[in-house]
C-alpha cells in the first residue's frame, strides 16, 4: 500500500546530509545515501568491477570473429565506470544481469524508483528500463493504419534509430552525456576516456586506427571532469578542430554500435526462459502457469499489447507501441525536489512538484528532456497531442527476474509499482476501485490515486478486467515463466 504521507518519509529516510563520497572535492556537496542503499550499491559496484575485470582479461586473446569482437567491446564499455564524469558509474549500474538488465538495487527500487547519477545528488525522472531485447525494437516509424508510432528505445521512444538504423545504439548514446546519469559534458569526453582504456587496441582493430587519432586540447582532462550539461554558449566544451570533431562523432557512434551489439548477443538477449522451453516442447507449464497464460491471452487482454508472438514474430512480449495506462505519479521520485540549482548550477526539474511526465508527446514537441540522442522528425510534430503521456510498452521478458525472493523490483515508467501482483491488480481494478483519500492505508489494495495524466489514457484494455484475486495470481505466476536462465544459452 502506498500513500504520499507514508512514502515521503520513507524516501526522505534514504538520505542524510553529508558530503558525497564520489565527488572529487567539497564543492560538489551531495546528500549521502542511506546505509542500506550504500551497502547494496557497494555490492553492485563490486560485481561490476568483477565482470569488468573478467572482460578485460578476455582482451588478451580476443575472438577472431568480428561480431564477437564487437560484442566484447560493447561489454567492456557497459561495465566501464570511467565513461562517467566522476568515474564512478558504469552503464551497468542501472542494468545488471541478475535483475534482467534493469535496476539492481532493491532499496532504491523500493524507495526512490529512479537511480542516482554520477553526480549523486541528481536522479532521473524515470526508472531504468531493461536493455535486454531492446536491440530487437524496430526503427521508430508511424503506422497510419493503426494510428501508432512503433519502435524506438527509451520510455518516450526518443532513441528512434533513424540516424544509425539501430534504436539500441542511439539509446546507448543518451546516458553518457545525460546530466542526471553519467554526466559527461561532451560526447568527445566519452571518446577521450575510451581512448585511455584497455580496450583501445581492440577498438582500433575493429573500427580502424583513425578512431582515436584526435588532437586533444591540453585542458581536456579538466573539461571532462566537470559535470554536464554544457553551457548554451559552449555546447561542445572540448575544443576540437572540425575534422577531429567529426572523427569523435563517428567514434562515439561506433562505441554505441558496439554496446548495442553486446545487448543483442545471446549473453543478454537469450530466449532461455521456461516459456521458450515450453514452445520448444522441452518443458510443460504447471496448471497455474497454464491458467495464467490462458488469462494473458484472453480475459486479461495482456497479449493485445504484450505480444507473445505470431507468424514471423518472435515472442517479445511487447508490440513496441506506446500507451498511457494511467499510472499514478510516484511521490518517491527525488526528481520532484530537483528544482533548485545544485552546486554546479544545474536545475534538472524546473517544474518541481508540478512536473507531469509527457512521455512520447514531450519528445515529439522537443520539450524538456534529460537527454535527446535522436533528432525529431518534424513531420511527426502533428502526432504530439495524440501521444501526450504515452509510454512505450515494455517487454515482459525477465519482468520478475531477481537475485533473491524478497528483492524489490520497480514497475511502470516512474517505478510507482513495486510488485507484479500490485501492477496486475492495477490493470484489473484501476476504474473499479475508488480514488484514494490523503494518507489512505488502502492505497494499492482498495483504492488508487488519480493518474499522473489522463491524456490519451487507455480506457479500452485497462482498468476493469473482472479478474478474481486468484486470476491475478495466476497471471503473475505465468509472467514468472518469462525469466531467462531456464534453458542453457546456445549459440549456433
Amino acid at each position: 500500500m502506498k500513500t504520499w504521507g507514508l512514502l515521503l518519509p520513507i524516501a526522505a529516510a534514504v538520505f542524510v546530509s553529508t558530503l558525497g563520497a564520489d565527488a572529487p572535492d567539497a564543492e560538489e556537496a551531495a546528500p549521502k545515501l542511506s546505509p542500506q542503499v550504500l551497502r547494496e550499491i557497494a555490492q553492485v559496484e563490486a560485481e561490476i568491477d568483477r565482470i569488468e575485470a573478467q572482460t578485460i582479461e578476455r582482451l588478451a586473446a580476443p575472438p577472431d570473429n568480428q561480431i564477437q569482437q564487437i560484442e566484447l567491446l560493447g561489454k567492456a564499455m557497459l561495465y566501464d565506470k570511467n565513461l562517467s564524469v566522476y568515474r564512478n558509474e558504469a552503464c551497468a549500474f542501472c542494468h545488471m544481469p541478475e535483475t534482467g538488465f534493469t535496476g539492481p538495487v532493491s532499496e532504491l527500487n523500493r524507495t526512490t524508483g529512479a537511480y542516482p547519477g554520477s553526480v549523486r545528488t541528481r536522479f532521473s525522472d524515470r526508472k531504468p528500463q531493461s536493455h535486454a531485447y531492446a536491440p530487437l525494437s524496430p526503427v521508430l516509424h508511424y503506422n497510419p493504419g493503426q494510428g501508432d508510432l512503433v519502435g524506438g528505445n527509451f520510455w518516450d521512444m526518443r532513441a528512434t534509430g533513424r540516424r544509425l538504423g539501430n534504436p539500441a545504439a542511439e539509446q546507448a548514446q543518451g546516458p553518457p552525456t545525460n546530466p542526471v546519469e553519467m554526466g559527461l559534458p561532451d560526447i568527445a569526453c566519452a571518446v577521450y576516456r575510451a581512448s585511455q582504456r584497455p580496450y583501445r587496441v581492440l577498438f582500433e582493430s575493429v573500427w580502424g586506427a583513425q578512431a582515436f587519432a584526435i588532437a586533444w586540447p591540453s585542458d581536456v582532462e579538466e573539461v571532462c571532469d566537470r559535470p554536464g550539461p554544457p553551457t548554451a554558449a559552449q555546447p561542445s566544451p572540448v575544443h576540437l578542430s572540425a575534422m577531429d570533431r567529426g572523427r569523435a562523432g563517428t567514434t562515439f557512434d561506433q562505441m554505441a554500435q558496439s554496446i548495442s551489439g553486446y545487448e543483442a548477443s545471446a549473453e543478454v538477449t537469450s530466449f532461455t526462459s521456461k516459456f521458450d522451453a515450453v514452445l520448444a516442447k522441452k518443458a510443460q507449464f504447471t496448471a497455474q502457469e497454464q491458467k495464467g497464460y490462458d488469462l494473458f491471452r484472453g480475459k486479461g487482454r495482456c497479449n493485445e499489447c504484450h505480444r507473445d508472438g505470431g507468424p514471423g514474430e518472435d515472442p517479445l512480449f511487447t508490440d513496441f507501441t506506446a500507451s498511457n495506462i494511467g499510472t499514478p505519479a510516484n511521490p518517491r521520485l527525488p526528481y520532484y525536489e530537483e528544482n533548485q540549482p545544485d552546486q554546479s548550477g544545474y536545475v534538472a526539474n524546473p517544474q518541481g512538484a508540478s512536473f507531469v511526465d509527457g512521455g512520447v508527446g514531450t519528445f515529439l514537441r522537443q520539450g524538456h528532456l534529460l537527454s535527446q540522442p535522436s533528432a525529431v522528425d518534424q513531420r511527426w510534430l502533428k502526432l504530439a497531442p495524440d501521444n501526450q503521456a504515452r509510454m512505450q510498452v515494455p517487454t515482459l521478458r525477465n519482468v520478475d527476474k531477481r537475485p533473491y525472493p524478497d528483492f524489490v523490483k520497480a514497475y511502470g515508467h516512474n517505478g510507482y509499482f513495486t510488485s507484479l501482483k500490485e501492477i496486475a491488480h492495477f490493470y484489473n481494478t484501476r476504474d473499479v476501485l475508488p480514488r484514494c483519500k490523503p494518507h489512505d492505508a488502502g492505497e494499492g489494495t482498495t483504492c488508487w490515486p488519480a493518474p499522473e495524466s489522463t491524456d490519451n489514457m487507455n480506457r479500452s484494455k485497462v482498468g476493469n478486467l473482472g479478474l478474481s484475486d486468484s486470476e491475478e495470481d495466476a497471471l503473475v505466476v505465468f509472467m514468472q515463466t518469462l525469466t531467462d536462465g531456464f534453458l542453457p544459452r546456445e549459440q549456433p
Side-chain angles (χ1 to χ4, degrees):
M1 62 185 66
K2 297 176 178 172
T3 68
W4 282 84
L6 290 175
L7 282 173
L8 286 175
I10 292 174
V14 176
F15 309 103
V16 292
S17 294
T18 187
L19 178 67
D22 294 307
D25 53 47
E27 184 179 353
E28 194 65 53
K32 184 179 178 181
L33 299 167
S34 74
Q36 173 63 25
V37 171
L38 286 176
R39 281 194 295 272
E40 289 193 55
I41 287 177
Q43 292 169 351
V44 170
E45 289 179 337
E47 181 65 3
I48 289 171
D49 290 344
R50 185 190 70 80
I51 294 172
E52 183 192 31
Q54 286 184 337
T55 307
I56 289 173
E57 284 180 8
R58 292 175 58 198
L59 295 172
D64 58 8
N65 177 278
Q66 188 183 56
I67 298 300
Q68 293 174 37
Q69 291 171 357
I70 289 172
E71 291 174 2
L72 180 59
L73 280 172
K75 184 174 184 178
M77 286 182 276
L78 268 172
Y79 288 90
D80 187 357
K81 293 188 286 190
N82 290 276
L83 299 182
S84 64
V85 63
Y86 287 155
R87 296 179 171 86
N88 62 340
E89 183 162 293
C91 294
F93 179 67
C94 293
H95 306 279
M96 288 293 281
E98 62 267 25
T99 53
F101 298 95
T102 185
V105 181
S106 178
E107 187 67 3
L108 288 177
N109 298 338
R110 186 182 74 86
T111 54
T112 62
Y115 277 51
S118 182
V119 180
R120 294 302 197 204
T121 50
R122 300 179 181 178
F123 284 72
S124 178
D125 54 347
R126 297 174 183 149
K127 72 163 285 284
Q129 289 178 290
S130 170
H131 67 216
Y133 302 93
L136 303 184
S137 177
V139 171
L140 187 63
H141 59 280
Y142 180 64
N143 183 322
Q146 65 188 51
D148 276 323
L149 285 166
V150 183
N153 271 194
F154 284 125
W155 285 108
D156 55 18
M157 299 174 156
R158 71 185 186 275
T160 67
R162 295 283 293 278
R163 186 173 68 84
L164 295 178
N166 185 334
E170 292 184 24
Q171 186 280 329
Q173 294 186 322
T177 56
N178 187 329
V180 302
E181 293 189 39
M182 298 167 80
L184 292 169
D186 191 322
I187 65 169
C189 292
V191 176
Y192 173 71
R193 296 276 183 90
S195 74
Q196 300 176 309
R197 303 298 294 144
Y199 48 79
R200 173 176 178 158
V201 172
L202 179 59
F203 194 102
E204 289 173 327
S205 174
V206 170
W207 295 109
Q210 81 292 332
F212 302 112
I214 295 170
W216 298 106
S218 60
D219 64 348
V220 63
E221 291 273 5
E222 179 184 350
V223 170
C224 293
D225 285 345
R226 289 196 295 264
T231 65
Q234 288 199 64
S236 300
V238 176
H239 296 150
L240 299 174
S241 69
M243 188 74 72
D244 283 340
R245 175 57 62 176
R247 186 170 288 133
T250 298
T251 301
F252 190 59
D253 287 346
Q254 293 160 346
M255 291 170 65
Q257 289 166 323
S258 300
I259 289 171
S260 69
Y262 171 63
E263 291 173 347
S265 73
E267 187 172 319
V268 181
T269 298
S270 63
F271 293 96
T272 57
S273 69
K274 182 175 183 179
F275 177 85
D276 297 297
V278 171
L279 286 186
K281 303 188 185 313
K282 296 179 179 179
Q284 289 185 324
F285 287 135
T286 66
Q288 190 179 29
E289 289 166 351
Q290 185 64 56
K291 177 183 176 181
Y293 187 35
D294 293 340
L295 289 164
F296 187 93
R297 294 178 57 86
K299 186 177 177 182
R301 306 190 66 178
C302 312
N303 194 51
E304 294 179 33
C305 295
H306 296 282
R307 294 275 302 154
D308 68 344
E313 250 185 87
D314 277 327
L316 296 174
F317 291 91
T318 174
D319 62 0
F320 300 106
T321 65
S323 182
N324 175 12
I325 63 169
T327 302
N330 183 0
R332 299 168 294 152
L333 288 175
Y335 187 71
Y336 288 113
E337 305 298 321
E338 295 178 61
N339 62 335
Q340 298 296 323
D342 65 12
Q343 293 296 315
S344 300
Y346 175 62
V347 180
N349 177 21
Q351 296 173 283
S354 65
F355 168 76
V356 175
D357 197 329
V360 178
T362 296
F363 160 58
L364 295 176
R365 289 186 290 100
Q366 295 180 282
H368 177 74
L369 295 173
L370 297 171
S371 71
Q372 189 175 327
S374 301
V376 178
D377 187 330
Q378 290 301 306
R379 293 168 292 187
W380 291 347
L381 186 60
K382 63 186 179 184
L383 304 177
D386 289 340
N387 282 279
Q388 190 65 18
R390 296 178 75 185
M391 303 287 172
Q392 189 174 58
V393 176
T395 178
L396 295 183
R397 282 187 171 271
N398 291 314
V399 70
D400 194 58
K401 187 169 186 180
R402 62 190 73 225
Y404 49 87
D406 58 348
F407 181 95
V408 176
K409 292 190 76 170
Y411 302 100
H413 70 278
N414 57 12
Y416 173 84
F417 306 101
T418 53
S419 75
L420 273 182
K421 170 67 173 180
E422 184 182 22
I423 196 167
H425 188 54
F426 176 78
Y427 270 74
N428 184 30
T429 64
R430 182 197 68 193
D431 300 337
V432 177
L433 298 179
R435 289 279 177 260
C436 295
K437 296 180 172 59
H439 312 297
D440 199 317
E443 182 175 345
T445 305
T446 59
C447 69
W448 293 109
E452 180 180 10
S453 173
T454 57
D455 290 341
N456 303 302
M457 195 166 76
N458 189 330
R459 300 180 188 276
S460 63
K461 302 175 184 177
V462 179
N464 184 7
L465 301 177
L467 301 172
S468 67
D469 185 66
S470 64
E471 287 174 328
E472 291 179 0
D473 290 341
L475 277 173
V476 170
V477 169
F478 166 68
M479 287 188 281
Q480 290 170 338
T481 71
L482 304 179
T483 296
D484 283 328
F486 185 87
L487 290 167
R489 268 200 322 265
E490 294 182 3
Q491 284 279 20

